Amino acid sequence: MSTSLAKVPVKDLVKQDKIKQMLASTLGSRSQQFATSLVSVVNENYQLGKVDQMSVINSAMVAATLDLPINQNLGYMWLVPYKDKATPQIGYKGYIQLAQRTGKYKSMNAITVYEGQLKSWNPLTEEADYDPNGKIEGNKVIGYIGYFKLLNGFEKTVYWTKEEIEAHRDRFSKAKSSGPWKTDFDAMALKTVLRSMLTKWGPMSTEMEEAVTKDEEVPQEIDADESDADKTASDTTQELLDDYAKSKKAKPVKGEESNAKSNKATTDKPKDDAKAGDQTDQEELLQPPF
């Protein structure tokens, strides 16, 4: 079931009632705009059109649940192809947005550090001698600094070298050789710094905890030994398949419509004639073939 639905284009899936209801229950009046954005995202990334299309929907629903835009150029959320699935990846702007909603942060930032800008860094006291105007010609990136300050006065500063970021990517990222890690390395590095800093030292809302859990999560297959929840998902998948099949039923072409009317006229005989025909057919079947 899911295999068939996986090949249904997203532009068709978002027109199905079940998907519309799912988006509307999460986004309300903004559901149509979100669906339009999703179709645009898939159209702009042909690799997304090759993966399981329901995984694209599911990944987009992570953004919808967190109320983050999925326009890939904004950097709040990426939908990244990983093997034959789509994977949701939250950008550093997404984490800043979620932190702001807690109402506990006074300020927050993350920046790229170039060679010549960082004079010294003390990881124990978290004191950084940073000169934004000290950049050496060549613009070589050497690391990334993250900072936040809470309303209660608590502050935190962290510094990651570029080599530390690369090691973290290689160890933990499922799609390290594609997607934003390949096209927007600095943005993903800033996200890594912020995410690590927030999860270790920052106050976490339920929404932020959900974001960390869903970030870069690969959708799972439905097991053959289904739980009740899996059966519900399977039933929904079948309903979507049925709805899609109905929407794609071929309409009669010219020439066929008159034949259809003729066939209907033939079949719409009086009941007595039909009974007589049935009796004749039965008598013929009873006759010996010689």
Side-chain angles (χ1 to χ4, degrees), residues 35-98:
T36 301
S37 297
L38 178 55
V39 172
S40 297
V41 168
V42 176
N43 288 341
E44 292 170 3
N45 186 347
Y46 76 98
Q47 291 291 347
L48 280 176
K50 295 181 178 180
V51 301
D52 184 331
Q53 297 299 275
M54 277 305 295
S55 75
V56 177
I57 295 288
N58 292 335
S59 294
M61 284 305 298
V62 173
T65 302
L66 298 173
D67 194 15
L68 294 175
I70 56 174
N71 184 325
Q72 309 291 269
N73 296 321
L74 297 179
Y76 289 90
M77 171 74 79
W78 287 289
L79 306 182
V80 182
Y82 173 67
K83 295 185 178 180
D84 62 340
K85 302 284 186 180
T87 306
Q89 287 193 1
I90 303 173
Y92 77 93
K93 292 181 181 178
Y95 276 105
I96 291 176
Q97 180 71 229
L98 296 173

Side-chain angles (χ1 to χ4, degrees), residues 233-285:
S234 181
D235 291 343
T236 301
T237 301
Q238 184 58 56
E239 290 173 4
L240 282 167
L241 277 170
D242 293 342
D243 291 344
Y244 179 72
K246 290 177 183 177
S247 68
K248 288 297 183 181
K249 278 186 177 179
K251 296 180 180 179
V253 295
K254 289 183 179 181
E256 291 182 351
E257 187 175 355
S258 57
N259 292 337
K261 290 181 179 179
S262 176
N263 291 337
K264 186 176 184 303
T266 302
T267 56
D268 290 346
K269 291 182 179 180
K271 292 183 179 179
D272 292 342
D273 292 347
K275 288 181 180 178
D278 290 343
Q279 184 175 359
T280 302
D281 291 341
Q282 291 174 3
E283 290 175 351
E284 290 178 351
L285 289 173

